[in-house]
Amino acid sequence: MTSADRRHQIGGADRPRHIGARVRRVEDRRLLSGAARYLDDIRQPGMLHLGFVRAQAAHARITDIDTSALADLGAEIRVFTGQDTSGLTIKAPAGHDPKSAALPDGHQGYWRMQDSEQPLLADGVVRFVGEPIAAVLAEDAYVAEDAAERIAVAYEALPVVATMAQAQDPSIPPIFAGWTSNVYIERQMAGGDLAAARAAAAHVIRRTYYNQRQAGVPMEGRGVVAAYDPADRVLTVWSSTQIPHLVRTYLAEELGFPESRLRVVAPEVGGGFGVKGQVFVEEVLVAWLALKTGRPVKWVEDRREHLVASIHARDHLHTLTAYVAADGRLLGLEADITVDVGAYSTFPFTAGGDPGMAAKVLPGPYDIPAYAATFRALATNKCPLGTYRGVARPSAVFSQERLMDDIAAEIGMDPIELRLRNVVRTFPYKNALGFSYDEGSYAQALERVRDLVAEDRAAARASRASATTRIGVGVACFIEQSSHGTPDFTRRRVPIETGYIAARVTMEPDGEVTVDIGLQNHGQGHETVMAQVAADALGVAPENVHVRQGDTLTTPYSVGTWGSRGGPLGGGAVHEAALKIAAKLKAIAAHLLQTDASRIALHGGRAVVIGNEGSYVEIRRLARIALRNVDQMPAGMEPGLEAQCSLDGPADGTYSNAVHAAVVEIDIATGKLRLRRFVVVEDCGTILNPLIVDGQVRGGVVQGIGSALLEHFIYDEDGQPLTTSFADYLMPLAPEIPNIEVHHIETPTPRTPLGAKGLGEGGAIGPPAAIANAVADALGVPVSATPLNANTLWTLAADIRAAAETDRDG
Amino acid sequence: MRPSSFRYHKAESVDHALELLARFGEDGRPLAGGQSLVPMMNLRLAAPEHLVDIGGLPLTDIAFTDTAMRVGALVRHRQYLAEPRVAHHFPALHEAVTWIGHPTIRENGTTGGSLSHADPTAELALAAMLYDAVMIVRNTAGERRIAAADFFEDAYVTALQPGEMLVAAEFPLPPVGAAGAFVEFAERRGDFAIAAIGVSITVADGRIATAAIACSGAEPRPIRAPEIEMMLSGRPLTDPQSRAAGRRLAAAIDPVGTFLTTADYRKALIGELTARAIDTACARAASR
Amino acid sequence: MTIDITLTVNGTARTVRVEPRRLLADVLRHDFALSGVHVGCAHGACGCCTVHVDGTPRLACLTFAVQCDGKAIHTVESLGGVDATHPLQQAFSIEHGLQCGYCTPGFLMTLAPFVDAMVAERRVPEDAEIREAMSGNICRCTGYHGIVAAVRRAVTEQIETGSAQP
């Protein structure tokens, strides 16, 4: 069945016209004209501006906070410290439900984790550079910064845990009182008979791989405004967040404030990429300060704060052991995964999120009968780790796909052929851990890429004789579990708890449609896609659909936008809710046209009798009847056209797949890498809007290129951050980036209403592996770590230079 | 990331600017394009008490005499690219300017600002060293002429004294037919360079007559490489033995490593860039 | 210390009283209520805040408003109005050259003069040239692909229709 055929059958909707079309985004006008309102555009009368005094020591006891220099500032300043906010924290424990004790070990079960609580303002000890120590309120943002600069903090140094090795050194004391080591959590997961794999293996290949620490860096930083209205006792909090409802619940619980009187609004959000998918101390603090002072309070993060004190990502060290048969078949895989997750566990995915995810997904697209992993999260005096596009999967895929190339090199097999020999080909497939994969196109994608880069591979082989320029081609084949459902989180015992998205669809008396959805757009074009989906179900045009999100006052409770769930679950929820209204419209139309509802189709703004296009009722007339002229409705039918659907993810999620190929050219003398091509073949199931799918893939790929080549958040041995501005933290700029070629295979999933699988993160997952494989191919050396900056590549090319010298001198 | 308070003074003339700078001494800074100073102020790494806005002063021209090119302190980087005589007389300078930052920075950054800021890998500073430019510095007492080699003292440190202002840079015209090249290496185009090399040669009978080589990345300020310059003199354009020259320069320097770049890499890079710049300059001279 | 300055912003002259340290970006955002001026890094390294001062692109985070006394400023709001009708804005939409939109005004203000120059020369630039023209602007969402295509489209269409935006 082709995807087009399938779309005609999706959930019983009539004649899809907009789903799958390259519809221009409705968001664009306000974003292009400058009319869009981001967090910093929120202003309230009498608003105070918050500035932070942040820790300059990585691990220290605070011995004094001296505010005496504020006196000569000539402005009214209010200062708050940890004594004022005592007891208020970000709590992100895992597995404290006593029922969890009954669960078997395995998957991502995080129970019995050592807890950390991050105070809103330091509780006498600071644990990373950038941790908030004091909050300063002033009438003006410039003055707040003046005041923060004048507050002097005295420290007594404590032993700094700055590396993974130090975190595992028993002679260095834990950074939290009551802890027994600097390990938040260490767990195993396993499935299949690894002993048998070991016994049968013709080759045992063991490698260690590392991905560097990164920052996320949306172009708009974080920011929060809070205002309490004593008239109706409502606290409104505006935050540049991806998860407004989760922020609301956290604030209600932590501040003891009735959730019904809390309103969280995410305005236009200038990028998030997962960074804005946690609840931060600053959000709780700004809300608390607004209640405490009775004045609106605003905080807008500056770029240095963002780099040192939002969240970081990656910092994964993996050691993999592959047990391989003589013919290249993978018999078993063992993984040891260590992640430096920094100073505090983050809410809601916890310190276990990254290492657990890496352990869970490492079998990847391959049919590996036996698998065992040990994963651990280490506490260090660095910025906490949180979610950033791909969450652990860029690192897992880096290790998995570097390993495949290393195996291929060791046993003398073509790397694409090795992958084809091992990929899963029959679906649904249950992997060694018990996860069930829905239908995909793993082998087809590999074959397509093999064809697309055939000439580049020939050019790479031809460049082997060159002492000056080498070409290399690398591929990365991967799957991405997305749209996780509640059972996945129940297994993990983490505070996220669930993963559903709710949508409420309302048709107004004039026939226009409002969709209120619990996602929060931060660049994905939800307003466009959800309008396409609703339009198809209701037989109207996308222009007739107004999509609203981000405001807990108007949108139904949902977990927000993360984990690539917008299209499959958000789109699915809109579709299901709209179908309920469609059914009612059809019933009214059938009543008016004196036929059966099953004979009515909705399209082009009309309810039409199937097979008799001349017999119809305008949909807007039906809306008027349902809401105003209810006397014309069928007897006994309830007035109104409003429906809601809360759609949870399937138990094992959906599995998108993709193959990325990088073609690199390396200048042997300088280490300069040029990306000649970057090719993507991807399958995210039903494509809802190809314009947006391509945009998500390309944007993700370029972030992944940044991970592979440039972006590195560096600390020195004292835990001092060194890359605190855009002069040092290097992200891809346009001249270094090629056009990204994107090809699609469409294998709809039966697990979501529209057949869509998640795709927002996938672009960022493949590039580190594909580029590292291309570098290894070009230079003929193993590549075990990123970033592959020019200096590193120059070092890796040393043997080629030496050989050339020998040739010349000899 | 917003600056500390300062007092603002708009200079009505060069003399007025010099009076203001004399009055404020170490507490005063001239402000023109702001491309280097304002980031430092926003990060609160600099907090001058007085800023003297010289943006309106008539120091905006590139002027030529029979013997020199005089570049006003307020000449924007893009002006070098729009003036054909720059490329004609100073090809390496012209090429260097194309490497300065990004288009918007080249629109707004000034010659005086860049030279006075003295970033160790700034393109204009390297070009000033390469072409033996003379810095024209004034205060209320008069004018000083300082050779580029004496002007750049250390990273972000120049011979400018409190109350002084760079008003122009004077580039003596090389002999007719001089060729040149500028090569730079950075992780991304427009970044602060890891290393850069400028070469200028004069030619006689198919051979290099005289050569000048300037290098950034080796020391906290741009340097010349007189030994290499001597070595090149007399070599045929078709075989300048650039590799040997590059190796020799690399062996003679002792650059520092940073958290992004090792000293060894920088050393090797400078050797390689030297060879490439020499080859390019010779090829250009030969193709005339 | 405050100073009265007169700025002609998007064609309208107005005198405002500012502290000398106020960045042009903040004055445009607060005193002139221009939400299209975005601050991305406040240290001159991302291009989000690019506006035109007397017709030249300039980073509003590296400019004190007092330096602009008597000058003409244009922001993205002046480009194609609330309907974003400028050919480059339209091309951005068609080619999906924007996602979250935060960097977009800066790209538009950086690239609009480049597009005009290419149209005046009647020349469609190579991709590398387009990428160099936007090298001072960071976009974290699009991977630049759609922006390059948008510039190409805006130049091509205007050459074909024989009209350059004034």
Side-chain angles (χ1 to χ4, degrees):
Chain A
M1 182 166 58
T2 68
S3 57
D5 292 338
R6 180 172 170 86
R7 279 208 299 278
H8 278 280
Q9 299 185 359
I10 291 164
D14 301 309
R15 294 204 201 182
R17 282 155 187 240
H18 304 294
I19 291 175
R22 198 178 150 91
V23 176
R24 271 173 70 179
R25 304 198 319 164
V26 300
E27 293 88 343
D28 289 351
R29 179 191 305 217
R30 67 171 185 269
L31 300 172
L32 288 162
S33 69
R37 294 282 187 270
Y38 295 85
L39 188 282
D40 195 23
D41 299 313
I42 308 286
R43 267 159 228 152
Q44 292 290 305
M47 189 164 76
L48 294 172
H49 294 265
L50 167 61
F52 281 106
V53 178
R54 291 179 180 272
Q56 295 181 333
H59 194 201
R61 200 175 307 285
I62 298 168
T63 56
D64 186 43
I65 300 174
D66 179 0
T67 60
S68 57
L70 294 178
D72 58 349
L73 198 58
E76 193 193 330
I77 306 293
R78 296 191 226 193
V79 180
F80 299 85
T81 68
Q83 288 185 336
D84 303 298
T85 58
S86 182
L88 295 174
T89 61
I90 293 292
K91 301 166 179 71
H96 284 257
D97 180 348
K99 284 178 289 186
S100 68
L103 277 173
D105 251 10
H107 306 305
Q108 276 171 277
Y110 298 154
W111 56 97
R112 300 187 302 274
M113 190 171 97
Q114 294 199 103
D115 285 349
S116 66
E117 288 191 24
Q118 182 177 7
L120 302 192
L121 298 167
D123 59 358
V125 174
V126 293
R127 295 185 180 84
F128 70 98
V129 172
E131 182 167 4
I133 291 175
V136 177
L137 291 180
E139 302 282 340
D140 177 274
Y142 284 64
V143 176
E145 194 168 336
D146 293 342
E149 195 182 25
R150 281 163 186 250
I151 294 174
V153 178
Y155 304 98
E156 177 191 314
L158 294 169
V160 174
V161 181
T163 64
M164 287 185 179
Q166 287 167 352
Q168 295 176 96
D169 179 345
S171 74
I172 298 177
I175 65 172
F176 293 102
W179 279 32
T180 56
S181 70
N182 277 313
V183 182
Y184 288 96
I185 185 168
E186 180 172 311
R187 290 285 170 274
Q188 284 77 38
M189 56 177 78
D193 187 349
L194 202 61
R198 247 181 235 126
H203 309 275
V204 177
I205 293 145
R206 184 183 172 87
R207 297 283 187 277
T208 296
Y209 305 106
Y210 176 73
N211 283 147
Q212 80 281 12
R213 179 169 277 252
Q214 271 189 254
V217 200
M219 291 318 295
E220 181 206 29
R222 298 175 297 149
V224 190
V225 176
Y228 177 67
D229 183 348
D232 56 7
R233 291 182 287 133
V234 166
L235 174 66
T236 303
V237 179
W238 294 264
S239 180
S240 185
T241 182
Q242 302 170 211
I243 50 171
H245 287 96
L246 299 186
V247 171
R248 190 185 75 181
T249 299
Y250 197 93
L251 291 177
E253 291 180 354
E254 193 63 16
L255 299 176
F257 198 92
E259 195 160 352
S260 62
R261 293 185 182 278
L262 251 170
R263 177 184 179 190
V264 175
V265 184
E268 200 81 60
V269 174
F273 317 116
V275 174
K276 295 174 182 172
Q278 359 274 315
V279 179
F280 288 100
V281 288
E282 290 90 346
E283 287 170 312
V284 185
L285 181 70
V286 170
W288 181 82
L289 285 169
L291 291 172
K292 180 87 178 168
T293 62
R295 298 269 300 269
V297 174
K298 180 179 199 172
W299 169 69
V300 176
E301 180 178 64
D302 71 35
R303 197 43 79 180
R304 189 160 45 188
E305 286 180 300
H306 180 82
L307 287 169
V308 303
S310 55
I311 54 100
H312 286 169
R314 322 299 187 226
D315 214 344
H316 278 235
L317 180 70
H318 301 168
T319 296
L320 303 186
T321 309
Y323 300 99
V324 185
D327 65 356
R329 294 273 312 175
L330 288 165
L331 303 173
L333 179 67
E334 266 180 301
D336 184 88
I337 292 154
T338 307
V339 182
D340 175 349
V341 304
Y344 296 101
S345 182
T346 43
F347 181 95
F349 296 100
T350 82
D354 251 66
M357 177 72 89
K360 181 174 80 169
V361 303
L362 258 167
Y366 304 115
D367 178 17
I368 307 175
Y371 173 69
T374 297
F375 66 93
R376 63 187 68 79
L378 304 179
T380 60
N381 293 116
K382 296 180 189 169
C383 178
L385 211 72
T387 52
Y388 170 56
R389 205 170 196 167
V391 188
R393 286 161 292 200
S395 297
V397 170
F398 179 81
S399 301
Q400 164 209 306
E401 289 299 277
R402 277 299 304 124
L403 181 69
M404 291 304 278
D405 271 28
D406 282 344
I407 293 169
E410 179 115 350
I411 69 178
M413 186 180 280
D414 177 85
I416 294 179
E417 180 55 35
L418 177 73
R419 287 173 173 81
L420 282 167
R421 198 160 291 191
N422 283 286
V423 286
V424 172
R425 288 167 183 269
T426 51
F427 302 97
Y429 168 83
K430 196 174 271 281
N431 79 5
L433 291 174
F435 285 90
S436 165
Y437 299 176
D438 51 2
E439 277 174 64
S441 53
Y442 310 172
Q444 297 97 300
L446 273 166
E447 285 160 359
R448 181 90 78 90
V449 160
R450 185 176 57 188
D451 294 344
L452 286 164
V453 299
E455 285 180 22
D456 301 284
R457 297 180 94 195
R461 282 189 294 274
S463 79
R464 293 295 176 272
S466 172
T468 56
T469 307
R470 292 282 175 96
I471 295 168
V473 181
V475 302
C477 175
F478 62 94
I479 54 174
E480 180 198 356
Q481 184 198 19
S482 66
S483 321
H484 315 68
T486 300
D488 201 293
F489 304 111
T490 306
R491 276 196 290 253
R492 297 192 216 175
R493 300 278 155 193
V494 288
I496 185 68
E497 294 172 332
T498 182
Y500 68 86
I501 299 295
R504 183 173 56 242
V505 179
T506 310
M507 189 172 275
E508 312 295 350
D510 62 357
E512 297 286 307
V513 178
T514 305
V515 171
D516 290 306
I517 188 161
L519 294 169
Q520 171 51 33
N521 175 61
H522 45 287
Q524 297 91 338
H526 292 152
E527 287 166 56
T528 307
V529 175
M530 300 309 146
Q532 289 173 259
V533 171
D536 275 353
L538 293 168
V540 299
E543 303 87 88
N544 300 117
V545 183
H546 180 201
V547 178
R548 304 188 299 193
Q549 54 187 321
D551 185 345
T552 61
L553 193 68
T554 54
T555 58
Y557 201 97
S558 303
V559 296
T561 299
W562 49 269
S564 301
R565 63 217 309 100
L569 300 186
V574 170
H575 177 75
E576 299 281 325
L579 284 184
K580 294 179 192 174
I581 294 177
K584 196 161 177 180
L585 291 172
K586 286 180 186 176
I588 300 169
H591 174 67
L592 297 175
L593 297 168
Q594 301 190 329
T595 183
D596 190 84
S598 66
R599 298 205 54 231
I600 301 287
L602 303 175
H603 58 81
R606 293 169 172 179
V608 180
V609 177
I610 294 167
N612 182 7
E613 292 282 322
S615 182
Y616 66 87
V617 192
E618 296 280 348
I619 287 173
R620 67 178 131 184
R621 188 178 153 216
L622 298 174
R624 175 92 191 161
I625 288 170
L627 289 146
R628 300 288 305 158
N629 307 122
V630 297
D631 58 311
Q632 296 175 40
M633 293 175 79
M637 184 179 277
E638 190 183 347
L641 286 172
E642 184 175 310
Q644 184 165 331
C645 171
S646 296
L647 187 64
D648 198 0
D652 282 354
T654 65
Y655 292 79
S656 304
N657 65 276
V659 178
H660 288 191
V663 183
V664 305
E665 180 181 303
I666 299 170
D667 180 340
I668 298 301
T670 65
K672 184 77 180 172
L673 179 147
R674 185 170 79 85
L675 268 171
R676 290 163 65 106
R677 282 180 82 188
F678 200 99
V679 181
V680 175
V681 175
E682 71 84 40
D683 186 342
C684 63
T686 306
I687 291 176
L688 302 179
N689 181 333
L691 185 78
I692 287 172
V693 168
D694 286 353
Q696 289 295 308
V697 171
R698 291 188 171 118
V701 163
V702 173
Q703 284 187 353
I705 292 171
S707 302
L709 301 177
L710 292 168
E711 296 183 36
H712 191 185
F713 197 93
I714 304 172
Y715 285 93
D716 72 8
E717 63 272 21
D718 300 317
Q720 287 293 331
L722 301 177
T723 44
T724 61
S725 81
F726 285 175
D728 305 310
Y729 189 80
L730 307 182
M731 289 165 288
L733 297 174
E736 280 71 40
I737 298 301
N739 286 326
I740 310 297
E741 303 163 43
V742 183
H743 305 267
H744 304 284
I745 300 171
E746 239 177 310
T747 312
T749 178
R751 295 181 184 176
T752 67
L754 297 168
K757 305 171 183 177
L759 85 323
E761 297 171 90
I765 293 174
I771 291 171
N773 283 341
V775 167
D777 183 46
L779 301 180
V781 294
V783 174
S784 58
T786 52
L788 295 161
N789 59 27
N791 198 154
T792 302
L793 292 171
W794 174 81
T795 306
L796 289 172
D799 287 351
I800 297 175
R801 284 193 302 275
E805 295 270 335
T806 311
D807 283 356
R808 194 171 49 230
D809 299 345
Chain B
M1 275 164 69
R2 295 294 187 272
S4 301
S5 287
F6 58 84
R7 297 189 77 84
Y8 173 80
H9 311 270
K10 188 163 181 67
E12 304 298 338
S13 65
V14 173
D15 285 341
H16 183 215
L18 296 174
E19 278 167 35
L20 291 166
L21 290 170
R23 194 189 322 157
F24 305 135
E26 289 188 345
D27 298 330
R29 293 281 295 269
L31 171 69
Q35 306 297 293
S36 302
L37 178 60
V38 184
M40 306 275 286
M41 290 178 67
N42 288 356
L43 290 159
R44 299 209 174 196
L45 299 171
E49 282 181 43
H50 298 272
L51 284 187
V52 177
D53 184 352
I54 60 169
L57 302 185
L59 302 171
T60 55
D61 291 334
I62 300 177
F64 284 84
T65 66
D66 289 345
T67 55
M69 172 178 77
R70 187 181 166 107
V71 183
L74 294 177
V75 165
R76 261 60 183 173
H77 304 321
R78 71 168 151 74
Q79 288 176 256
Y80 292 91
L81 306 178
E83 167 55 78
R85 285 176 291 179
V86 173
H88 178 71
H89 291 291
F90 304 98
L93 167 62
H94 179 269
E95 200 167 10
V97 171
T98 66
W99 285 87
I100 299 176
H102 307 292
T104 304
I105 292 173
R106 292 197 291 273
E107 286 285 351
N108 294 286
T110 64
T111 299
S114 174
L115 294 172
S116 304
H117 184 60
D119 183 284
T121 58
E123 292 82 2
L124 282 186
L126 183 146
M129 288 293 292
L130 179 70
Y131 287 112
D132 295 315
V134 176
M135 305 296 133
I136 315 295
V137 172
R138 281 184 59 186
N139 62 11
T140 49
E143 183 175 292
R144 283 207 289 158
R145 294 171 63 85
I146 308 172
D150 300 322
F151 184 78
F152 303 108
E153 296 183 342
D154 205 340
Y156 312 106
V157 180
T158 68
L160 281 171
Q161 295 300 309
E164 281 187 328
M165 184 173 87
L166 183 69
V167 293
E170 206 171 271
F171 289 73
L173 294 187
V176 174
F182 176 91
V183 296
E184 176 170 314
F185 194 89
E187 199 65 66
R188 302 174 305 180
R189 177 135 190 128
D191 282 342
F192 295 106
I194 297 171
I197 300 288
V199 172
S200 178
I201 55 172
T202 59
V203 178
D205 302 331
R207 288 174 182 273
I208 297 171
T210 62
I213 294 185
C215 165
S216 69
E219 288 184 19
R221 57 187 187 134
I223 57 167
R224 284 282 288 267
E227 274 187 53
I228 317 300
E229 295 170 2
M230 295 282 286
M231 223 175 112
L232 289 173
S233 158
R235 295 256 166 83
L237 291 177
T238 50
D239 181 23
Q241 295 181 34
S242 59
R243 299 272 135 201
R247 275 198 294 270
R248 182 135 167 215
L249 178 54
I253 58 175
D254 187 18
V256 294
T258 70
F259 59 90
L260 291 173
T261 310
T262 63
D264 281 352
Y265 175 56
R266 212 168 218 179
K267 215 172 159 78
L269 197 56
I270 286 169
E272 179 66 24
L273 298 184
T274 301
R276 291 182 185 185
I278 292 169
D279 287 344
T280 305
C282 288
R284 285 173 182 166
S287 71
R288 290 250 173 86
Chain C
M1 180 191 181
T2 56
I3 299 178
D4 286 345
I5 57 169
T6 301
L7 305 181
T8 303
V9 177
N10 297 336
T12 306
R14 222 180 93 200
T15 300
V16 291
R17 176 161 293 187
V18 297
E19 244 191 308
R21 65 166 163 170
R22 290 273 153 181
L23 298 175
L24 178 63
D26 290 328
V27 170
L28 291 172
R29 288 181 49 72
H30 299 119
D31 299 73
F32 290 85
L34 292 167
S35 56
V37 180
H38 297 163
V39 177
C41 73
H43 58 279
C46 77
C48 281
C49 64
T50 306
V51 298
H52 295 173
V53 178
D54 284 346
T56 300
R58 188 168 167 96
L59 299 173
C61 80
L62 295 190
T63 308
F64 298 113
V66 288
Q67 291 176 273
C68 300
D69 187 18
K71 294 189 193 281
I73 318 283
H74 282 90
T75 68
V76 74
E77 281 88 348
S78 72
L79 211 52
V82 290
D83 289 328
T85 56
H86 187 281
L88 185 59
Q89 290 172 316
Q90 288 298 306
F92 261 63
S93 181
I94 294 166
E95 298 291 350
H96 198 22
L98 72 160
Q99 290 183 22
C100 82
Y102 198 79
C103 71
T104 308
F107 271 90
L108 290 168
M109 297 310 281
T110 302
L111 291 168
F114 175 77
V115 168
D116 289 347
M118 291 296 115
V119 174
E121 288 180 32
R122 303 192 63 75
R123 181 165 75 82
V124 180
E126 298 291 323
D127 282 4
E129 202 176 350
I130 298 173
R131 287 176 179 276
E132 165 64 18
M134 62 170 78
S135 64
N137 295 70
I138 301 177
C139 173
R140 205 60 175 150
C141 291
T142 63
Y144 304 106
H145 187 106
I147 303 176
V148 174
V151 171
R152 208 187 303 119
R153 172 183 285 272
V155 173
T156 308
E157 285 187 350
Q158 288 182 91
I159 289 175
E160 283 170 2
T161 59
S163 69
Q165 191 80 359

